[in-house]
Amino acid sequence: MRRPPNIDELLQRMTLAEKIGQLNLLSAGEGPETGSAHSRDIRARLEAGQLGAIFGTKSVRSVRAWQEIAVEGSRHGIPLLFAEDVIHGHRTIFPLPVALVCSWDMALVRATARVAATEAAAEGINQVYAPMLDIARDARWGRIAESPGEDPFLAARYAEAMVGGLQGDDLTALDTVAACLKHFLAYGAAAGGRDYDNASLAPAELIGVYAEPFRAGVAAGAASVMAAFNAVNGCPMHAHRGLIEGWLRGVCGFDGLVVADYTGVHELIAHGLGDRATVAARALLAGVDMDMIGEDYLACLPELAEAGLSRPEAALDLAAPAIIAAIDRSCRRVLSLKQRLGLFEDPYRYCDEARAKGAALAAPHRDLARRAVAASCVLLRNEGVLPLKPGSRVALIGRLGDDRANMLGTWAVSGDPGQAVTILEGLRAVHDGPVDHAKGANIVDDADIAARLDVFGPTVLPDPRPEAELIAEALALAARADVVVLVAGEAKEHSGESSSRTELDIPAPQRRLLEALAQAGKPIALVVMAGRSLVLARESRLADALLLAWFGGTEAGHGIADVLTGRAEPGGRLAVSLPACSGQVPIHHGAETTGRPWTGQFQKFRTGYLDLPGEIPPARGLYPFGFGLGYTRFEWGEPRVTPASPGGPDARVTVAVTIRNAGDRRGTEVVQLYVSDPVARIVRPSQELKGFERVTLDPGEAREVRFTLARDDLTYLVGDSVEGLSRVWDPGSFILRLGPNSRDLTSIEITWND
Ligand code: BGC
């Protein structure tokens, strides 16, 4: 154990070059690269004292080797930070974030983060690039898979749970890691759902919706934040001083480390902000402390610190002292995080081969993952097919029904697909009856798409036989079975980074397979594998049961089988609305009301679409946010509100409802509270989620669920600029809505006076 340094003294002893070195962040080159690398020579950088952190190591051995060079081979012995993309698990892979959020179970989310931190920390990793907190309302955007979904309130609870699980109470503990909230800000609001595209948002929506999970994550103590690739209202986030230094640090009180995303500083050149020196200066001054991959800080800051920078064409005039002060400030943040992690005392404290071996995929971790799968599966429709009848002969059909390569889903960079449980294995292990499998169709039939899906290795693995032969084989299997379980959907890289899609359907060959099977007359339970909210209109018509299983991770096969056989409840409730057709996105449950609402009396001249079936509200989708079925039935009592007419700033309102399990098996209901503000100074969302509670009851059991609202819960932001935002509320009428999803709600109107 060494004595931790005094950071002020250390900074005084460091040269400018050494400080700039601390701001450089490179990849170990052992994982995926999402852009071009400027330097792969980590050893040379380390020996020259030009590296502060490495991400993407895959073993204790490599962490230890790099750390040794950093500590033993440099003047001040400053240890490296080791970071990794631990998005939904490290070695034990949990369901995709968007799936996990569907559990609405924040204790579960926290437990998965705890496991991820334990596994990662044992391998020497001390910072993880998670949680991803980008609100996503446009399913064309592939990174909706990593997101907490469409709703800021739910996403904020996810942020708190993830930060709590990853960081615990003590960052020096051997089983905790520093969280990194990403991608700040509004990456999920990309124009057209195209990854990396820019966002244009009114300040109140930017802060009130998109920044809300970041506010919650900071309040929960997150140690770091990553900047987003996109521009917001014309300013790229890597240069957005107003949002990073102004809002995040100034308003929100964040005092941790801000890292760039992969070549994010360098990409400011392509954004049109100027040459390498200009963008390095802009990013540093904006508050981006560490430069990932691009090495613009390393290349440009020494000279900038000497000469300053004058670029009239970029409206930039910076004196050298301002640059030097910013370098000092950022270096201090890097060193402080290393200090908080206890790395100065023992740079190898997190490196432990034995602990790493024992932690990875440990039995309790896998058990938790299996539970998390069942808790994330959303049952959308069930005409008496599920749970499968004991003894029934099951025809398990679908290329994804016996698949390991896709099960982990996107961004599982340290997961081993070989460890994943297939649905066939899972079902055979728990179903009391024969289970036979046929592929029935390939995942896709377009060679170009297949090649793009295989970017990180083979996942499409096409069967060369003609489509008719594959379908005939499936039909023959179905003919002999009591029930068909068809598994269809996306390949893992259909969603994820740079995997935006214009059509949100299940790929064509699998759709044709479903159509053929539907003719065969056997009941069909369709299990959908996906990383985004797909359009399932046709599938809802053709299948008797519809289970959205997302990508479930290592234990996907077991967890899905548990749900199919009724060993577990399908616990999921949608964290994203499912559109009725691709043209309906972006979509979310709280769309603003308009002057010509869809419910208006003039058939044609109202807000909606000509070609959307009349029964589907244009802003709601086929399956609403918060929706999901279980295997039992709940009866809801009348909601009660006390007091009905509150007044004064400190007033509280309690809303209560009693629910009863009226079915014959134990089950879970997620009680959801929404609030509408029907008369306000500006147009408000049609409704906002303000509370939820998961309630698990035995048959016949009843429970009262209560929510308390304060006046603060009714406030909202107004203002024409981020700096000018203020929080207001409009006394008078409010409508409280309670129900099991964002559509099926019972409303009570209250009057809340000043
Ligand atoms: C992604 C980040 C990720 C980083 C490092 C980027 O392409 O946007 O989410 O943390 O790569 O792997």
Side-chain angles (χ1 to χ4, degrees), residues 461-496:
L461 302 161
D463 188 315
R465 288 176 289 167
E467 176 166 318
E469 196 179 321
L470 291 170
I471 291 187
E473 187 179 68
L475 287 173
L477 202 70
R480 293 197 301 275
D482 299 311
V483 59
V484 171
V485 174
L486 172 62
V487 185
E490 298 190 308
K492 82 178 176 71
E493 293 305 326
H494 258 122
S495 40

Side-chain angles (χ1 to χ4, degrees), residues 288-532:
V288 176
D289 301 312
M290 289 194 108
D291 178 7
M292 188 192 285
I293 300 288
E295 303 210 307
D296 304 285
Y297 285 5
L298 203 61
C300 304
L301 292 186
E303 198 185 318
L304 287 170
E306 215 162 84
L309 180 79
S310 178
R311 292 279 189 276
E313 71 278 19
L316 206 62
D317 203 355
L318 291 170
I323 309 259
I324 293 171
I327 293 169
D328 269 354
R329 171 213 67 192
S330 287
C331 183
R332 175 187 298 279
R333 291 177 187 150
V334 175
L335 299 176
S336 299
L337 181 55
K338 293 177 177 180
Q339 177 98 295
R340 282 185 72 192
L341 287 159
L343 287 169
F344 282 105
E345 282 127 304
D346 179 3
Y348 309 104
R349 67 189 305 145
Y350 298 105
C351 299
D352 185 335
E353 291 280 4
R355 210 153 43 83
K357 270 212 190 76
L361 292 154
H365 298 180
R366 293 193 78 134
D367 286 349
L368 180 71
R370 181 174 186 157
R371 273 203 288 126
V373 175
S376 310
C377 282
V378 188
L379 184 62
L380 298 169
R381 174 179 159 78
N382 188 15
E383 296 302 310
V385 184
L386 295 177
L388 297 170
K389 312 230 170 351
S392 56
R393 175 175 278 275
V394 175
L396 177 67
I397 295 173
R399 162 66 186 77
L400 291 164
D402 184 20
D403 174 276
R404 243 179 271 285
N406 291 285
M407 285 301 101
L408 302 187
T410 190
W411 273 118
V413 296
S414 304
D416 173 5
Q419 290 288 332
V421 179
T422 70
I423 299 179
L424 180 61
E425 287 166 347
L427 214 44
R428 282 193 172 144
V430 296
H431 179 57
D432 169 17
V435 182
D436 304 308
H437 176 256
K439 284 185 197 153
N442 283 318
I443 298 178
V444 290
D445 57 0
D446 177 319
D448 289 343
I449 297 277
R452 296 182 70 177
L453 295 174
D454 283 348
V455 53
F456 298 127
T459 56
V460 174
L461 302 161
D463 188 315
R465 288 176 289 167
E467 176 166 318
E469 196 179 321
L470 291 170
I471 291 187
E473 187 179 68
L475 287 173
L477 202 70
R480 293 197 301 275
D482 299 311
V483 59
V484 171
V485 174
L486 172 62
V487 185
E490 298 190 308
K492 82 178 176 71
E493 293 305 326
H494 258 122
S495 40
E497 185 164 349
S498 194
S499 290
S500 295
R501 291 178 66 190
T502 57
E503 296 294 342
L504 304 174
D505 299 302
I506 287 181
Q510 301 179 75
R511 267 179 2 235
R512 291 193 289 268
L513 170 63
L514 170 61
E515 271 155 24
L517 285 167
Q519 305 288 317
K522 290 288 164 73
I524 300 176
L526 174 60
V527 177
V528 176
M529 312 295 299
R532 55 158 52 78

Side-chain angles (χ1 to χ4, degrees), residues 102-423:
C102 288
S103 72
W104 296 57
D105 183 343
M106 297 307 143
L108 175 74
V109 169
R110 196 183 162 101
T112 65
R114 199 81 287 289
V115 164
T118 306
E119 292 186 353
E123 281 178 31
I125 290 157
N126 32 60
Q127 180 192 23
V128 299
Y129 296 146
M132 198 269 222
L133 298 179
D134 299 308
I135 296 285
R137 297 175 163 184
D138 189 336
R140 290 173 296 181
W141 190 54
R143 297 195 85 170
I144 194 171
E146 290 173 76
S147 86
E150 71 184 39
D151 185 86
F153 183 85
L154 186 58
R157 305 294 79 76
Y158 171 74
E160 292 158 357
M162 285 294 291
V163 172
L166 292 169
Q167 296 196 169
D169 302 326
D170 174 9
L171 273 187
T172 64
L174 292 185
D175 58 355
T176 59
V177 290
C180 183
L181 315 179
K182 71 186 190 185
H183 308 80
F184 186 74
L185 182 65
Y187 184 33
R194 294 178 293 271
D195 206 0
Y196 315 126
D197 213 329
N198 300 326
S200 297
L201 288 161
E205 189 179 7
L206 182 66
I207 300 302
V209 175
Y210 287 86
E212 173 56 15
F214 288 89
R215 188 204 55 72
V218 169
S224 60
V225 170
M226 182 186 287
F229 287 128
N230 53 291
V232 172
N233 299 334
C235 182
M237 279 312 305
H238 281 73
H240 213 310
R241 190 175 176 147
L243 282 172
I244 299 176
E245 285 294 312
W247 186 82
L248 183 68
R249 294 194 188 275
V251 177
C252 231
F254 177 67
D255 63 356
L257 180 75
V258 173
V259 298
D261 201 349
Y262 205 107
T263 57
V265 175
H266 199 72
E267 289 168 25
L268 294 175
I269 301 173
H271 268 289
L273 290 204
D275 61 12
R276 210 174 174 195
T278 309
V279 300
R282 292 275 311 254
L284 182 74
L285 269 292
V288 176
D289 301 312
M290 289 194 108
D291 178 7
M292 188 192 285
I293 300 288
E295 303 210 307
D296 304 285
Y297 285 5
L298 203 61
C300 304
L301 292 186
E303 198 185 318
L304 287 170
E306 215 162 84
L309 180 79
S310 178
R311 292 279 189 276
E313 71 278 19
L316 206 62
D317 203 355
L318 291 170
I323 309 259
I324 293 171
I327 293 169
D328 269 354
R329 171 213 67 192
S330 287
C331 183
R332 175 187 298 279
R333 291 177 187 150
V334 175
L335 299 176
S336 299
L337 181 55
K338 293 177 177 180
Q339 177 98 295
R340 282 185 72 192
L341 287 159
L343 287 169
F344 282 105
E345 282 127 304
D346 179 3
Y348 309 104
R349 67 189 305 145
Y350 298 105
C351 299
D352 185 335
E353 291 280 4
R355 210 153 43 83
K357 270 212 190 76
L361 292 154
H365 298 180
R366 293 193 78 134
D367 286 349
L368 180 71
R370 181 174 186 157
R371 273 203 288 126
V373 175
S376 310
C377 282
V378 188
L379 184 62
L380 298 169
R381 174 179 159 78
N382 188 15
E383 296 302 310
V385 184
L386 295 177
L388 297 170
K389 312 230 170 351
S392 56
R393 175 175 278 275
V394 175
L396 177 67
I397 295 173
R399 162 66 186 77
L400 291 164
D402 184 20
D403 174 276
R404 243 179 271 285
N406 291 285
M407 285 301 101
L408 302 187
T410 190
W411 273 118
V413 296
S414 304
D416 173 5
Q419 290 288 332
V421 179
T422 70
I423 299 179

